[in-house]
Amino acid sequence: MENVHLAVEEEDLYSGYNDYNPTFDSEELENDAGFQQAVRTSHGRRPPMTAKFPGTAIGGRPLVSSFGSRIPMASSMGRPMTGTVQEGAARPMTAVRAAGYSSSLMRGSTFDPLGQSKGPAPPLEAKNEDTAEEKIKILEKKVNDLIEESCMAQSIGAFQLALEKAKEAGRKERALIRQREASGNTEHINLDLTYSGEVIKQGSNMTTVAASISTQLHRQYEQRKTVLLNLANQYANNEMYPEALNSYHVIVKNKMFTNAGRLKVNMANIYFEQKNYPKAIKFYRMALDQISNVHKELRIKIMQNIGVVFVRLGQYSDAITSFEHIMTESPNIKTGFNLILCYYAVGDRERMKKAFQKLISVPLGIDDEDKYIPASDDPSSNMVTEAIKNDKLHQMERDLKVLAEKYIMTAAKLIAPAIETSFASGFDWCVDMVKCSQYVELANDLEINKAITYLRQKDFNQAVETLKTFEKKDSRVKSAAATNLSFLYFLEKDYDQADRYADLAMNADRYNPAALINKGNTLFVKKDYEKAAEFYKEALRNDSSCTEALFNLGLSYERLNRLEEGLDCFLKLHSILRSSAEVMYQLAHLYEQLGDPQQAIEWLMQVISATPTDPHVLAKLGKLHDDEGDKSQAFQYYSESFRYFPSNIDVIEWLGAYYIETQFCEKAIQYFERATLIQPNYVKWQLIVASCYRRSGNYQKALETYKEIHRRFPENVECLRFLVRLSTDMGLKEVQEYATKLKKVEKMKELREQRVKSGRENSARGRREGSTGSAENAKAEPQPEPKQFSPLLDSDSGRSSSSSSKGERLSAKMRSLPGSNEPYEASSPKELDASYVDPLGPQMDRPKTGAKKPADDDDFADEDLGDELLPE
């Protein structure tokens, strides 16, 4: 009764929590007399099976009936059956082995049926990787990993690495095949011998075994196909087309590979890259035949490729057939544009119009932009709108729309001159068609392109008139037209009109960076660099990627002598335009101004790598190396500059001076002769040529050159002095003639200088008198300015000195005016000055290799020679 629970009115949640069945109390088993009696005797032990009973199998296993039940058997002890309610029935055997009861408990051992007293279980048996199956699995994993690595390398553009991984996967896959063959895998198993006994006993399992073998074979073939396909793709990516074709052929020829016909599209693409167009068409058509009509999009793409190949072959009628079929079945922008090109090639005006109408009516399948504008005050919906505004799908839609607009604009500019008698009427027809389509915004852009076409035809007035029609239209188009007008007037150097239209464009759209740049440019040419820089900065705030504004801002800082800020601008621009030679040259120029010639040389070397034939940059490099004292490098760069542009006077002068400095006057002559051809009225080059002849020892050629110079420039004093000196040295009869001419020229020079001096003194005296005079004198008539002197004539030759310009003669004479303290002596006798100054500079002194001793300087003068020093 103590285990009987009585019902109570309120149920206790914790009632019976500490109650337990004493049957499971193992701690009191030692005190249980009944249990100890059963352990000590054989009452609880199972009798051994020593005889066969009816209904048992060999080894004591019960027979299995067709119903899957066991036949109950009675034990020798007559124990009741387990799990039955019938009384008096014998208990069946439940196990062959004992449950762990032992009579050894009598000898003091503890009862441990679970074997817990033996300690922890032994460690798991290590996997044996030396078996053939494990080796095959490891190789399969390596092949799959290599294929994945190859595909990942291809995705990042590392085609060479992808090819290496694909080749390694191919090698591992061949090793895997050899391993399978060596281990006698499933494809070599004799099914009749291996599964014969099993078939007799379990005939239904044969299908499972065969299916397992087929699955393994299919997996092996699929892996083989994957390796070959990846290898072929990597060959194609690396432009190794013959190897790629061989790999594709192996895949296509094997009948175990399903859908191998699609790979013929890849083979046709390779033939297209090899410009083997007939074979490309053949394989495209084979692929088209092997692909069912279910794959409609794939068939359309193949037909589009066939049309493109026909265009490359010049078979426009066949290409038109393909494109027209595509536009009927599944129209798209690219095919419509290609169809217009084909009609343009054959010159079919009407079909061009129809194709253009089809092009602008192709549905893009994108949503309206209003969907991305928040339309309510619901924060959750606004958050969703902000999230999808710049997602991948919206970017894809924008790219598709931009591509469609590009094709439509290009097609309109192409067919406008061809569909009508004039391109203006053709543009008008295209504009009317576009206005009736979903691309209404493109109509104004087509009008602007019409003005640009007028500019290409050099019809400036018509372009301006067309752009002026946009002044009354909406702000965006008005700003674009005014920007173009401002730029046109800027090119025409009409800076006032350019400034006016720049203001108009800014008023229409203040966020138009091109309008702000044009405004800054007009201020830049007016040398208002501060305001120009402000407009360039505003343009950069509106569009941070506007490279023109950043470049012009750097130039403005350079003009303002803010070199560090200008350097920052050009460094930022160089990070955007890595290969721009103009930007790198400006950086070199700024570093030169900052006094860092090494950095300037490095940037100029980068300019040379981008434009290796720029003579100005080469000359700049030569100048910097010359300033650094590296004459050999300077000579190399100056020579390269002269080779590309042999008319640069500075380069010619440096090269000639270099050869004179190194005592190679003969080589310097060719450079100064070229300078004479470039500046024939500049006497300096001709005098240098004559001096080079004289330095090289060719006195006769030098004399002829001086005579030619005197004939062209009879008033040149230096030439006459050289003639007097050479004639004297060579003993010629013309010495007196040249001396007389030299004397007359010097006398005229003195007269001219004295008149200029007196004129200056008179003008200075008049200015002093005017500044110190009274108010009445200030109101008087101004004194007339000194008259200009006319060129003097040579009394001996009767020829005027018109061979040299007046400005050159005055500048030459002004350099040799007498000092202000020297008196004027008009008729004082003066000796002839035949001295001259060599334009090449003084000759180098000859090195003294030896000197003759005086006659009386004898080491043995005061000594008597003994007999021992005399010869025998």
Side-chain angles (χ1 to χ4, degrees), residues 293-336:
N293 294 327
V294 178
H295 307 284
K296 182 179 177 181
E297 293 185 2
L298 183 58
R299 291 177 62 87
I300 289 295
K301 291 180 179 179
I302 294 174
M303 290 194 68
Q304 187 171 351
N305 289 356
I306 292 174
V308 172
V309 177
F310 277 130
V311 170
R312 292 294 182 93
L313 288 172
Q315 301 177 13
Y316 299 112
S317 57
D318 296 329
I320 287 171
T321 304
S322 299
F323 292 144
E324 283 181 344
H325 176 74
I326 296 171
M327 292 299 290
T328 304
E329 295 292 329
S330 178
N332 60 79
I333 290 291
K334 189 176 292 186
T335 305

Side-chain angles (χ1 to χ4, degrees), residues 637-669:
Y637 288 116
Y638 273 122
S639 299
E640 287 293 312
S641 176
F642 178 78
R643 185 164 66 92
Y644 291 118
F645 184 58
S647 300
N648 191 335
I649 288 294
D650 295 333
V651 174
I652 291 171
E653 184 177 8
W654 192 94
L655 288 171
Y658 175 80
Y659 280 117
I660 291 173
E661 184 180 352
T662 55
Q663 303 297 316
F664 290 101
C665 297
E666 299 86 351
K667 292 185 177 181
I669 291 173

Side-chain angles (χ1 to χ4, degrees), residues 71-84 86-93:
I71 300 174
M73 300 183 65
S75 67
S76 60
M77 298 300 295
R79 294 176 64 187
M81 293 169 52
T82 302
T84 61
Q86 298 178 358
E87 296 180 359
R91 178 180 178 183
M93 290 185 299

Side-chain angles (χ1 to χ4, degrees), residues 768-838:
R768 287 195 299 271
E769 291 176 356
S771 60
T772 57
S774 61
E776 288 107 9
N777 291 335
K779 296 178 182 179
E781 291 288 334
Q783 294 292 328
E785 296 181 359
K787 295 181 180 180
Q788 297 292 335
F789 294 104
S790 61
L792 298 177
L793 298 178
D794 193 336
S795 58
D796 292 344
S797 61
R799 296 175 299 181
S800 70
S801 59
S802 59
S803 58
S804 65
S805 62
K806 182 178 179 180
E808 291 179 353
R809 286 186 280 107
L810 286 176
S811 61
K813 303 304 179 285
M814 289 290 289
R815 288 195 297 267
S816 58
L817 286 175
S820 58
N821 297 325
E822 295 180 6
Y824 172 62
E825 298 177 358
S827 58
S828 61
K830 191 174 183 180
E831 295 182 359
L832 179 63
D833 184 12
S835 63
Y836 63 91
V837 178
D838 194 340

Side-chain angles (χ1 to χ4, degrees), residues 430-541:
C430 292
V431 169
D432 294 337
M433 291 296 104
V434 169
K435 285 181 179 178
C436 301
S437 69
Q438 56 183 331
Y439 305 98
V440 184
E441 301 88 357
L442 290 181
N444 293 324
D445 295 335
L446 280 174
E447 290 281 357
I448 293 178
N449 274 281
K450 180 181 176 182
I452 294 174
T453 308
Y454 277 125
L455 283 176
R456 289 199 179 106
Q457 295 181 353
K458 302 188 183 303
D459 195 346
F460 181 77
N461 295 327
Q462 283 291 336
V464 171
E465 291 298 326
T466 305
L467 291 173
K468 284 182 178 179
T469 58
F470 291 95
E471 292 185 8
K472 296 181 181 179
K473 294 192 177 183
D474 62 325
S475 60
R476 185 185 69 84
V477 181
K478 181 179 179 181
S479 178
T483 300
N484 288 331
L485 282 170
S486 174
F487 182 67
L488 291 176
Y489 283 120
F490 187 84
L491 294 179
E492 291 288 320
K493 296 185 179 180
D494 189 352
Y495 300 125
D496 294 332
Q497 286 291 333
D499 188 40
R500 173 176 170 269
Y501 279 101
D503 291 334
L504 184 62
M506 288 167 50
N507 294 333
D509 184 8
R510 185 71 184 186
Y511 297 99
N512 185 357
L516 294 167
I517 292 173
N518 287 344
K519 179 65 177 178
N521 291 344
T522 57
L523 294 170
F524 188 91
V525 296
K526 295 176 182 178
K527 299 184 179 181
D528 193 351
Y529 303 120
E530 287 286 354
K531 289 185 178 180
E534 292 299 324
F535 281 104
Y536 296 142
K537 289 179 184 178
E538 187 175 353
L540 284 171
R541 285 194 293 270

Side-chain angles (χ1 to χ4, degrees), residues 863-871:
E863 297 181 5
D864 294 333
L865 294 178
D867 295 336
E868 67 274 7
L869 297 179
L870 295 177

Side-chain angles (χ1 to χ4, degrees), residues 164-225:
E164 292 175 1
K165 295 291 183 182
K167 287 181 178 180
E168 189 175 354
R171 290 191 292 269
K172 295 287 184 184
E173 196 267 342
R174 287 191 291 274
L176 177 60
I177 292 175
R178 290 193 296 270
Q179 184 71 26
R180 282 173 178 156
E181 292 174 352
S183 62
N185 210 339
T186 53
E187 61 265 30
H188 301 289
I189 293 175
N190 190 336
L191 300 179
D192 295 333
L193 296 175
T194 309
Y195 298 100
S196 57
E198 201 69 30
V199 169
I200 294 171
K201 292 187 286 183
Q202 300 181 11
S204 60
N205 289 344
M206 181 60 193
T207 306
T208 306
V209 173
S212 174
I213 296 172
S214 176
T215 302
Q216 293 182 21
L217 288 173
H218 181 70
R219 188 177 72 250
Q220 295 170 18
Y221 288 136
E222 285 298 322
Q223 189 177 36
R224 176 67 174 163
K225 176 183 176 182

